[in-house]
Amino acid sequence: MRQREESELLRWRSSFIGYVITAALLVLFFGFWNHQIVKSTYYAERAEQNRVRDITLLAPRGRIYDRYRRVLADNRPSYNIVLIRESSPHTLEQTAAMLSPGVGISIEDLLERINRRRRDPKFRPIVLKEDVSVADIAFVKAHRYELPEISVEVQPRRRYLGIEMGAHVLGYVGEVTEAELISPEFLDYKPGDQVGKAGLERQYNSVLRGKDGFKRIIVNNFGREMGKLLEEPSIAGNDLFTTLDLDLQRAAEDLIGERTGAAVALDPRTGEVLAMVSKPSFDPNLFATRISVADWGNLISDARKPLQNRVIQNHYSPGSVFKVFMAASGLEADVLNPLQTVFCPGYASFYGHTFACWKKGGHGTVGLHEAIVNSCNVFFYNVGKELGIDRISKYATTMGLGRKTGVDLPSEDAGLIPSSEWKQRVFKTAWYPGETISVSIGQGAVSVTPMQAAWAMGGMASGGRLKQPHLVNPEEIKKIGFNARELRSEQYQMHESTVDTVGRAMWGVVNEAGGTGARARIDGFDVAGKTGTAQVIGKQAQAKGDEFEDHAWFVGFAPYRNPEIVVAVFIENGGHGGEAAAPVAHAILETYYKKKLGEFDGDLLTKIAQASENKKVKN
Amino acid sequence: MAGPIASKRLWQDFDWLLFGAALLLCFTSLIEIYSSTMHEQSENYFLRQLAWVILGVVFVFVIAALDYHVLSEHIPFLYVLALIALVYTLALGRSVSGSKSWVALGPVTIQPSEIIKMVVVVALARYLSELRESAYMTPVQILKASAICLLPMGLVALQPDTGTALTYLPILAVGLFIRGLRPTALIGLILAFVLVLPVSWYFLKDYQKERILTFLEPERDPLGRGYQVMQSKIAIGSGGLLGKGLFNGTQNQLGFLPTRHTDFIFSVVGEELGFVGVSITLGLLAFIIFRSIYNAQTARDNLGLFIAMGVVGIYFFHVMENVGMVIGFMPTTGIPLPFLSYGGSSVLTAFIALGLVISVRRRRYVN
């Protein structure tokens, strides 16, 4: 009996275990209910996020061409190593530690890069290394199982074919900055996007920029594409056709060489910029990839400021070049007539001060024509004294100096044409008449950009017609559906006789015996011009070496009647304008003339450019 | 099944319901193993599993035909053999992810620690059924009973295979509880085994869990523990009521689920067959457990009861741990789900256990 009771007890305990198991299974059952019924929508979304990945198809920027459709900037494919946090089984630290030895970037740097983008959505790739080598790609492919969150992405990357050529005009691109992202202009940009940072790239960023596409794909746990759900292809940016002539650009760059300076060539009839050179230059390709700290440091610490576009962003004393504008102003104001003469003993006294002529012995008796050809200071001191500063200011401003030309590039400098009002406003003192004497020969407070010098000279030579300088015709931009401002055209009053007199004298500068601009002379192409030699500091500093050497100017146009091309050349610390600057102008004008005659045989670079262009057309 | 062990009675008293439930689970298992490995070229998991299931079925009939009293008579010999096998495994076994728990047996490798659990079940059942003195076990008896279980368990833990070693505990726990413990010892055991382990786990902070698990098995799961369970929960949750359909589970097919044909097979069931499939599968497992309890209670003697309840303990522990793991209620350990997970040792063990329970049932009316 006892045994029987014990058996009952064992059976009862077995039942008890059954109850415990029932309870436990109910808990499990409840768990599945909770996951599959209550939270199933949430988990379905998570499964979809796992499975589906959106990949940005980066749009290539539009290409930039010269006036003959030779490519100045295009794109090349490149590869980036990216992190997609969403698909990561690791902590960021683990990922960085595993990736670091393979790509040669320190763990700290990798984490820094990730951290900068930490607020991005998790599915958006974070670029860890740009424009990687084949070895880097191989490393990523070989470790795709250990590092499923790391992949390689294709990105079209900017390529400037002329390397340093035209760097300032073209500008460069770079990653959009955080500051830019919050400005309304970059409303539809996201971190990591490429934007134009300078030059045409900046000015026409919205035209050049394409529209990124995207691809929604199905991926497996290693991130490998298993299928495609949706694709919206990227749309390439619009090509930009500039007015630049690669041949003129090349001629100017070659002739300036390693010197510091600027050159610009315009067509005064239309305002088209044919060439624009600033030296020293830089390689904009460096920016196409994230520029290295070392390269950036070199560029910004270089005392010669290679990033600055000296054609429009720097202003300089025009020196004797200003005499041409003084002559025209004097004639127009009727304080000067072409037959009037002045005796130059090598100096002159005004208001109790003695002002020297550059020629110690003096020019003797000079008329307007000789005064321009020989660049006599004393003659123009007198013109300045007669005109007074405010009339000088008024005429010079009308002629296009001391104000922005409106060229389609960012950050143009206005230069400066002083006036008594300006002196009062800025220095709160009256204008000293003595200062007018200095201004008469382009010294003192007056300063112009090389672009202004060319523009104003071209305008005057064309009888007072100022066409807004431009690299891209707004009509071309409108054609592809963008807003563009009409080109500005000005016409100021200028007597034909004035144009003729001054133009003739400038022809003399280049073509007459003893003219200071003889080196710009081209047989058959009536070049007119004016040299300038602007003092750097005081005369006393002149002996102290290259840094205090005078700045050299040459501004000229051709042919001297109804000019087709106007050129301004400026060489910093170049010495005499006739020696340092005129040969550069000569090279540009000669190239232009030869092309016009059909005698230009081109050069290697041009041929390469043409060949690459032909290939593209065929493609 | 000809010969002396085959008889008309075998077929009449055979627990067809129990066996049928197991076969249905195997059917589900084969389909989902096929589904989860259909893109793998290297090995045909489906055919291998099918072979193991067929072998398992053979074992069911052989063991069901055997009188469990005969087994019990020879159990000291089998027990010693088992210990030798474990020592052999420890010395010469194959190392898989850091544990020496496998031995090569001709063309296949098996995990002796799985199958030896059945030896422990019978050995402990025999010891406990032979105690007759009182309602409660004496401390010495508890120690002796524990030694029977803990000796092989210790050898498994040394491999080191903590997960599998833990699956020995429910045999002892169930045996001791049923045989009779004083309330103090009973409460302590219940708390430790049923409540403390899983529930305390549930209340631990994540980093504490991580520490404990990393401590227990540092080599396991190099891709991060949270990732596996998260993917499993996503798979199950996204299955919804009706599931995504066979072969349509994205988590499964695209490889987001870890070890999906073995430890996480139930996630595949959850994703592709939904809550309905889960309920049916879990229901079948519950049926096997409750049917085994019923068979234990209707056993002819205490030996039969202890054997069947030992099997119940093992089945339950595996189900609770494995199914709990795939929805994050339990820590991730490599404990297979009986009849469902891919793997020969697991399938064989589950069928041997089934054979034992059927053997017990068959002899309920004897005498």
Side-chain angles (χ1 to χ4, degrees):
Chain A
M1 276 314 281
R2 193 192 139 85
Q3 201 183 327
R4 181 111 194 130
E5 276 168 33
E6 194 195 296
S7 268
E8 285 304 313
L9 203 55
L10 299 193
R11 277 162 183 72
W12 185 85
R13 286 183 187 135
S14 298
S15 293
F16 183 83
I17 285 175
Y19 302 140
V20 171
I21 290 172
T22 307
L25 289 178
L26 282 175
V27 170
L28 286 183
F29 198 75
F30 165 77
F32 281 91
W33 174 270
N34 188 37
H35 280 81
Q36 300 193 285
I37 307 297
V38 180
K39 293 195 213 156
S40 80
T41 317
Y42 164 76
Y43 284 116
E45 274 168 23
R46 293 290 306 267
E48 203 63 5
Q49 279 169 19
N50 259 351
R51 178 177 88 101
V52 171
R53 185 172 296 173
D54 284 350
I55 290 178
T56 307
L57 302 170
L58 295 160
R61 277 175 90 78
R63 285 176 291 211
I64 304 178
Y65 294 92
D66 91 334
R67 65 189 299 123
Y68 302 111
R69 312 234 152 164
R70 288 175 291 194
V71 182
L72 302 174
D74 66 359
N75 306 284
R76 65 183 167 83
S78 80
Y79 300 90
N80 297 335
I81 291 178
V82 297
L83 162 70
I84 299 167
R85 285 168 296 165
E86 179 187 68
S87 53
S88 180
H90 301 118
T91 63
L92 297 177
E93 287 74 19
Q94 287 171 330
T95 303
M98 287 164 82
L99 189 65
S100 171
V103 297
I105 300 176
S106 75
I107 296 173
E108 295 73 39
D109 285 354
L110 286 173
L111 287 174
E112 219 278 307
R113 273 166 215 196
I114 297 167
N115 217 21
R116 227 181 294 150
R117 301 272 303 277
R118 67 191 175 279
R119 280 188 294 266
D120 282 18
K122 291 209 176 224
F123 62 82
R124 192 173 288 164
I126 298 179
V127 176
L128 297 181
K129 190 176 185 187
E130 292 185 300
D131 205 8
V132 297
S133 65
V134 177
D136 288 331
I137 295 171
F139 176 84
V140 171
K141 296 279 181 207
H143 291 80
R144 62 180 188 277
Y145 294 106
E146 294 94 319
L147 287 166
E149 68 272 32
I150 298 294
S151 52
V152 173
E153 149 198 286
V154 188
Q155 181 184 11
R157 202 170 285 285
R158 208 53 159 161
R159 173 169 57 183
Y160 301 94
L161 287 104
I163 314 298
E164 290 198 353
M165 183 176 296
H168 298 91
V169 189
L170 299 175
Y172 52 88
V173 294
E175 226 170 77
V176 66
T177 62
E178 281 178 36
E180 283 169 330
L181 278 172
I182 55 172
S183 79
E185 186 188 347
F186 297 98
L187 213 56
D188 59 336
Y189 285 72
K190 55 186 188 304
D193 280 355
Q194 296 274 305
V195 292
K197 295 286 188 182
L200 290 170
E201 296 275 24
R202 173 79 185 82
Q203 184 81 15
Y204 293 104
N205 185 54
S206 57
V207 176
L208 288 164
R209 180 201 187 200
K211 192 173 178 302
D212 289 348
F214 82 98
K215 190 162 75 159
R216 180 164 294 168
I217 59 170
I218 298 172
V219 294
N220 68 6
N221 58 325
F222 300 122
R224 189 186 303 160
E225 182 172 344
M226 308 296 283
K228 188 163 72 184
L229 293 173
L230 204 61
E231 182 170 3
E232 188 181 298
S234 65
I235 300 165
N238 296 288
D239 291 343
L240 203 60
F241 298 97
T242 69
T243 59
L244 288 171
D245 184 333
L246 200 54
D247 303 314
L248 303 196
Q249 184 80 16
R250 173 73 191 265
E253 302 224 356
D254 282 356
L255 265 284
I256 297 178
E258 293 307 305
R259 292 177 293 176
T260 301
V264 58
L266 305 175
D267 183 337
R269 298 167 300 181
T270 58
E272 288 174 1
V273 178
L274 303 174
M276 184 187 277
V277 178
S278 180
K279 289 276 192 171
S281 191
F282 61 94
D283 182 359
N285 290 299
L286 293 177
F287 293 86
T289 316
R290 180 177 294 145
I291 187 165
S292 75
V293 176
D295 285 338
W296 176 247
N298 286 342
L299 282 173
I300 58 166
S301 65
D302 190 332
R304 296 167 75 203
K305 295 192 167 61
L307 290 177
Q308 205 149 45
N309 183 354
R310 289 176 155 75
V311 176
I312 59 164
Q313 292 170 347
N314 277 21
H315 51 87
Y316 308 93
S317 295
S320 301
V321 170
F322 197 64
K323 289 172 182 166
V324 176
F325 299 101
M326 289 296 294
S329 307
L331 290 167
E332 286 298 302
D334 218 14
V335 300
L336 181 62
N337 74 65
L339 303 174
Q340 189 178 326
T341 60
V342 167
F343 181 75
C344 167
Y347 63 89
S349 290
F350 299 95
Y351 313 111
H353 291 276
T354 301
F355 294 84
C357 187
W358 64 270
K359 194 171 179 182
K360 291 230 170 62
H363 291 94
T365 302
V366 288
L368 173 60
H369 187 87
E370 297 80 34
I372 289 176
V373 172
N374 298 318
S375 202
C376 176
N377 288 359
V378 171
F379 185 91
F380 285 99
Y381 291 152
N382 283 296
V383 177
K385 181 174 173 267
E386 290 301 317
L387 277 168
I389 187 62
D390 289 330
R391 276 203 284 183
I392 292 173
S393 171
K394 190 190 110 201
Y395 280 110
T397 306
T398 304
M399 284 190 278
L401 299 172
R403 59 188 168 106
K404 292 183 181 180
T405 67
V407 68
D408 48 349
L409 285 174
S411 314
E412 190 188 359
D413 188 280
L416 179 69
I417 297 296
S419 66
S420 55
E421 182 272 326
W422 166 81
K423 183 89 186 282
Q424 192 64 45
R425 178 161 44 83
V426 177
F427 295 100
K428 314 272 187 263
T429 56
W431 179 266
Y432 301 118
E435 293 175 81
T436 309
I437 307 304
S438 294
V439 166
S440 313
I441 58 159
Q443 299 290 347
V446 57
S447 70
V448 302
T449 66
M451 173 58 88
Q452 286 172 340
W455 188 49
M457 190 67 83
M460 190 183 66
S462 312
R465 191 181 59 214
L466 282 169
K467 291 283 192 180
Q468 182 179 353
H470 60 274
L471 285 145
V472 177
N473 190 335
E475 296 307 316
E476 299 285 329
I477 302 289
K478 279 184 195 161
K479 252 189 257 170
I480 50 175
F482 285 85
N483 292 327
R485 216 175 274 170
E486 294 284 335
L487 285 175
R488 192 160 44 84
S489 188
E490 297 173 24
Q491 178 70 53
Y492 58 85
Q493 196 67 41
M494 168 111 8
H495 292 93
E496 215 172 291
S497 60
T498 303
V499 179
D500 190 57
T501 306
V502 175
R504 216 188 276 273
M506 288 179 71
W507 181 88
V509 169
V510 177
N511 295 288
E512 284 176 16
T516 54
R519 290 182 191 220
R521 183 181 162 154
I522 295 163
D523 285 335
F525 196 36
D526 288 317
V527 178
K530 182 70 192 85
T531 59
T533 305
Q535 289 167 19
V536 172
I537 318 170
K539 272 279 176 200
Q540 75 277 13
Q542 221 170 17
K544 289 186 183 168
D546 278 359
E547 289 160 58
F548 304 103
E549 189 81 26
D550 292 340
H551 295 325
W553 277 101
F554 182 89
V555 183
F557 49 88
Y560 88 100
R561 282 174 202 282
N562 304 317
E564 298 165 12
I565 177 169
V566 55
V567 176
V569 177
F570 176 83
I571 307 292
E572 232 167 79
N573 309 118
H576 195 270
E579 284 157 22
V584 179
H586 177 264
I588 299 171
L589 294 167
E590 188 182 41
T591 307
Y592 178 88
Y593 187 52
K594 278 189 173 170
K595 289 185 75 160
K596 190 182 172 186
L597 298 180
E599 287 170 8
F600 183 71
D601 58 352
D603 51 37
L604 193 60
L605 184 102
T606 310
K607 280 172 186 160
I608 291 167
Q610 273 164 345
S612 79
E613 180 56 20
N614 290 339
K615 217 165 107 190
K616 285 203 176 68
V617 170
K618 273 174 209 153
N619 288 347
Chain B
M1 303 306 295
I5 54 168
S7 72
K8 213 176 164 189
R9 286 287 296 274
L10 171 63
W11 302 103
Q12 280 171 359
D13 293 334
F14 193 84
D15 193 343
W16 292 107
L17 282 176
L18 195 58
F19 182 67
L23 280 191
L24 279 175
L25 286 174
C26 288
F27 180 70
T28 312
S29 158
L30 284 166
I31 292 171
E32 292 300 14
I33 284 169
Y34 179 78
S35 173
S36 61
T37 58
M38 59 199 276
H39 301 301
E40 303 207 10
Q41 275 91 42
S42 54
E43 274 187 80
N44 197 324
Y45 292 99
F46 173 80
L47 283 180
R48 280 166 161 262
Q49 182 76 350
L50 184 62
W52 284 115
V53 168
I54 291 167
L55 189 65
V57 169
V58 171
F59 267 76
V60 169
F61 286 104
V62 171
I63 290 170
L66 278 174
D67 186 344
Y68 61 90
H69 296 95
V70 178
L71 257 177
S72 175
E73 254 171 61
H74 295 289
I75 204 66
F77 167 73
L78 286 173
Y79 186 80
V80 170
L81 205 65
L83 290 183
I84 291 168
L86 285 175
V87 172
Y88 174 86
T89 311
L90 207 52
L92 301 162
R94 269 182 44 186
S95 196
V96 174
S97 54
S99 309
K100 274 187 166 181
S101 39
W102 299 80
V103 285
L105 215 68
V108 294
T109 56
I110 60 160
Q111 209 177 349
S113 52
E114 278 290 329
I115 295 159
I116 284 168
K117 275 187 279 194
M118 292 304 115
V119 176
V120 174
V121 165
V122 179
L124 193 65
R126 174 172 168 179
Y127 176 76
L128 293 173
S129 62
E130 286 171 0
L131 298 175
R132 290 175 189 281
E133 281 90 60
S134 65
Y136 296 126
M137 292 175 78
T138 65
V140 176
Q141 288 167 343
I142 293 175
L143 278 177
K144 280 182 179 169
S146 301
I148 291 170
C149 182
L150 295 181
L151 199 58
M153 179 179 156
L155 288 170
V156 175
L158 281 175
Q159 288 174 351
D161 186 351
T162 326
T164 307
L166 279 174
T167 64
Y168 280 65
L169 273 182
I171 310 170
L172 181 62
V174 168
L176 293 181
F177 173 77
I178 294 174
R179 183 58 194 81
L181 294 168
R182 285 178 201 288
T184 44
L186 178 78
I187 289 163
L189 203 101
I190 289 173
L191 283 179
F193 180 60
V194 181
L195 216 71
V196 175
L197 252 175
V199 174
S200 70
W201 182 263
Y202 203 57
F203 286 107
L204 282 177
K205 295 248 186 298
D206 277 346
Y207 74 90
Q208 291 170 315
K209 292 182 190 178
E210 195 61 52
R211 275 184 196 165
I212 291 167
L213 291 168
T214 313
F215 171 70
L216 289 174
E217 292 181 12
E219 276 83 17
R220 234 190 107 76
D221 189 11
L223 279 183
R225 206 164 293 273
Y227 178 76
Q228 284 196 339
V229 175
M230 197 62 231
Q231 294 300 341
S232 169
K233 288 168 85 168
I234 290 169
I236 291 163
S238 63
L241 179 66
L242 297 172
K244 297 174 187 171
L246 272 180
F247 316 125
N248 281 331
T250 56
Q251 290 284 101
N252 172 30
Q253 302 297 341
L254 294 170
F256 292 102
L257 274 177
T259 58
R260 53 194 176 277
H261 60 294
T262 57
D263 297 350
F264 283 87
I265 188 84
F266 206 70
S267 313
V268 181
V269 173
E271 183 180 29
E272 300 196 340
L273 304 177
F275 186 67
V276 171
V278 163
S279 302
I280 293 171
T281 312
L282 209 50
L284 286 169
L285 286 166
F287 175 78
I288 289 176
I289 290 170
F290 292 122
R291 181 77 176 178
S292 300
I293 294 174
Y294 174 73
N295 287 348
Q297 288 173 326
T298 55
R300 191 183 76 179
D301 50 21
N302 289 348
L303 178 64
L305 181 140
F306 278 116
I307 288 175
M309 286 309 289
V311 168
V312 166
I314 287 170
Y315 278 157
F316 170 65
F317 189 79
H318 276 254
V319 171
M320 190 65 202
E321 162 55 31
N322 184 286
V323 176
M325 166 185 81
V326 302
I327 49 168
F329 284 8
M330 289 290 193
T332 35
T333 48
I335 295 177
L337 189 56
F339 302 111
L340 285 154
S341 288
Y342 171 84
S345 306
S346 165
V347 169
L348 279 189
T349 308
F351 274 113
I352 290 170
L354 201 73
L356 286 173
V357 174
I358 295 174
S359 174
V360 169
R361 180 184 171 82
R362 278 189 60 227
R363 280 157 188 88
R364 61 194 156 148
Y365 300 127
V366 176
N367 294 347

